[in-house]
Amino acid sequence: MRREIVSRTLGKTDVELSALGFGAASLGNLYQAISNNQARETLQAAVDCGLTYIDTAPFYGYGLSERRVGDFLRSQGQDSFVLSTKVGRFLKPDVTADTNRIRDGFASPMPFRPEYDYSYDGIMRSYEDSLQRLGLGRIDILLVHDIGVQTHGADNGRHFQDLEMGGYRALDELRKSGAVGAIGLGVNEWEICEQAMEIGQFDCFLLAGRYTLLEQEPFESFFPKCKAHGASIIVGGAYNSGILATGTKSGNVMHYNYEPATTEIISRVQCIERVCETYNVTLAAAALQFPLAHEIVASVIPGLGKVKRVEQTIALYHEDIPVEFWQTLKDEGILPQNVPVPTGRR
């Protein structure tokens, strides 16, 4: 039986997210250019299918994703969608930008360069700039983007201090005034989220690639702290940069965590693939559905850049997966015995 895409409450807020959302990095021409029409058609197909939560960021195509998302959403009505974007970078004009090449992974024509600023003024400026690019009067969820050692290395200390001493105050003011409905972080490392909980109350953490069929490290320690804090998790990167979508048999380069996959990672995915073959389960369907079994996960947001990709993702979300499949993954040590799993058909 085909199921509807359910909604889930974000933390202790009144914000309701579709459990399957729309990651809009592709609309910033991630790795390859797409047309404005393709971006609009993809968004329309997603919303028509019930994917009413959309996540974007200034960094995605140097403002291109936000512009495309806003152009589409203005025709939808403010109450028909939930939108998150990010702060911590603002965009500066750059007349020297080579817009004919891929920059930071984006084939974008936008002549800007990003600069980091997690201070009070930097957060406010980034928020206001996003409203202008989006052409919208409200942003539902505001996320601090890419703070952490993985992005900043030795400079992270001063950036985190800026967030602690001023940036968080800006976020909290925007939330208290009703300008935004929720605040959080959008990052690739759960440790920085744990650190952030010590400086204030966050409603959610968009965590990319860290709670997947391949990785469950946050499950034992971080997730219980999130629950006690009152914060939800939004899962990005459920396919771990692609290897859980393509599998190991395509003959193409396999990617994990934004880099070519190691032999160890490939071997682990092959173990999952063998179980998938036993139960006639699509690897990507298992990867997409797995995180949603945890009570703290509010939404999973795969990147979508084509109508066909939306249709495939909906099919993966609705695929029936037998409970025996999940138990076998546990029995073979691929998943911890106590990790929550979907309760599909028997």
Side-chain angles (χ1 to χ4, degrees), residues 193-341:
C193 301
E194 195 169 275
Q195 188 177 352
M197 287 191 291
E198 298 177 3
I199 66 174
Q201 178 63 47
F202 289 91
D203 303 303
C204 60
F205 300 107
L206 197 171
L207 195 58
R210 303 286 77 86
Y211 187 64
T212 70
L213 274 180
L214 279 175
E215 293 188 44
Q216 303 88 43
E217 187 178 3
F219 165 67
E220 292 287 359
S221 61
F222 175 57
F223 279 15
K225 291 178 182 178
C226 277
K227 184 176 180 180
H229 187 76
S232 291
I233 296 294
I234 300 167
V235 171
Y239 302 130
N240 280 121
S241 299
I243 194 167
L244 289 179
T246 63
T248 65
K249 301 176 183 179
S250 68
N252 299 321
V253 176
M254 294 164 281
H255 287 89
Y256 164 79
N257 208 26
Y258 311 110
E259 296 179 350
T262 64
T263 302
E264 178 188 359
I265 292 296
I266 292 171
S267 177
R268 288 169 59 189
V269 174
Q270 287 172 336
C271 291
I272 300 172
E273 286 179 312
R274 285 193 287 270
V275 181
C276 286
E277 290 169 0
T278 298
Y279 291 97
N280 194 28
V281 169
T282 306
L283 174 64
L288 189 67
Q289 293 183 31
F290 165 71
L292 288 168
H294 201 293
E295 64 176 346
I296 204 171
V297 174
S299 186
V300 173
I301 53 167
L304 301 170
K306 298 179 181 178
V307 172
K308 183 178 180 180
R309 182 78 178 100
V310 173
E311 294 169 347
Q312 292 170 337
T313 301
I314 294 297
L316 295 172
Y317 174 82
H318 288 307
E319 182 173 322
D320 285 326
I321 300 178
V323 293
E324 292 86 358
F325 166 80
W326 302 108
Q327 188 57 52
T328 300
L329 290 180
K330 292 183 176 185
D331 292 343
E332 295 193 7
I334 296 169
L335 292 176
Q337 283 289 340
N338 59 338
V339 75
V341 293

Side-chain angles (χ1 to χ4, degrees), residues 41-331:
E41 289 169 358
T42 304
L43 284 163
Q44 187 66 64
V47 170
D48 288 346
C49 290
L51 280 67
T52 55
Y53 168 45
I54 300 167
D55 173 71
T56 184
F59 184 54
Y60 300 160
Y62 312 107
L64 182 61
S65 177
E66 283 190 321
R67 288 172 65 98
R68 286 171 163 170
V69 167
D71 287 346
F72 172 77
L73 290 180
R74 279 195 301 278
S75 67
Q76 299 299 300
Q78 184 73 52
D79 295 333
S80 64
F81 62 86
V82 173
L83 174 67
S84 61
T85 193
K86 305 182 182 77
V87 290
R89 289 181 178 93
F90 61 87
L91 303 178
K92 295 193 70 173
D94 183 3
V95 296
T96 68
D98 184 356
T99 57
N100 293 314
R101 68 175 181 86
I102 293 178
R103 295 168 292 147
D104 297 320
F106 295 98
S108 173
M110 307 290 278
F112 298 96
R113 70 175 186 274
E115 292 194 0
Y116 296 107
D117 192 337
Y118 299 94
S119 68
Y120 179 92
D121 290 342
I123 296 297
M124 286 298 193
R125 174 179 171 178
S126 180
Y127 162 72
E128 291 166 359
D129 285 355
S130 285
L131 286 176
Q132 293 291 330
R133 279 188 296 270
L134 289 160
L136 298 173
R138 176 181 170 80
I139 294 165
D140 299 290
I141 307 167
L142 206 57
L143 303 170
V144 179
H145 203 189
D146 285 343
I147 196 161
V149 174
Q150 184 171 325
T151 299
H152 299 299
D155 284 339
N156 189 61
R158 66 180 179 86
H159 287 308
F160 190 83
Q161 185 176 38
D162 286 342
L163 179 66
E164 182 177 18
M165 302 304 294
Y168 175 77
R169 179 164 55 90
L171 294 167
D172 195 37
E173 286 180 8
L174 290 169
R175 179 175 54 186
K176 286 178 177 177
S177 72
V180 301
I183 62 172
L185 270 59
V187 292
N188 296 287
E189 47 193 302
W190 60 268
E191 295 88 348
I192 196 68
C193 301
E194 195 169 275
Q195 188 177 352
M197 287 191 291
E198 298 177 3
I199 66 174
Q201 178 63 47
F202 289 91
D203 303 303
C204 60
F205 300 107
L206 197 171
L207 195 58
R210 303 286 77 86
Y211 187 64
T212 70
L213 274 180
L214 279 175
E215 293 188 44
Q216 303 88 43
E217 187 178 3
F219 165 67
E220 292 287 359
S221 61
F222 175 57
F223 279 15
K225 291 178 182 178
C226 277
K227 184 176 180 180
H229 187 76
S232 291
I233 296 294
I234 300 167
V235 171
Y239 302 130
N240 280 121
S241 299
I243 194 167
L244 289 179
T246 63
T248 65
K249 301 176 183 179
S250 68
N252 299 321
V253 176
M254 294 164 281
H255 287 89
Y256 164 79
N257 208 26
Y258 311 110
E259 296 179 350
T262 64
T263 302
E264 178 188 359
I265 292 296
I266 292 171
S267 177
R268 288 169 59 189
V269 174
Q270 287 172 336
C271 291
I272 300 172
E273 286 179 312
R274 285 193 287 270
V275 181
C276 286
E277 290 169 0
T278 298
Y279 291 97
N280 194 28
V281 169
T282 306
L283 174 64
L288 189 67
Q289 293 183 31
F290 165 71
L292 288 168
H294 201 293
E295 64 176 346
I296 204 171
V297 174
S299 186
V300 173
I301 53 167
L304 301 170
K306 298 179 181 178
V307 172
K308 183 178 180 180
R309 182 78 178 100
V310 173
E311 294 169 347
Q312 292 170 337
T313 301
I314 294 297
L316 295 172
Y317 174 82
H318 288 307
E319 182 173 322
D320 285 326
I321 300 178
V323 293
E324 292 86 358
F325 166 80
W326 302 108
Q327 188 57 52
T328 300
L329 290 180
K330 292 183 176 185
D331 292 343

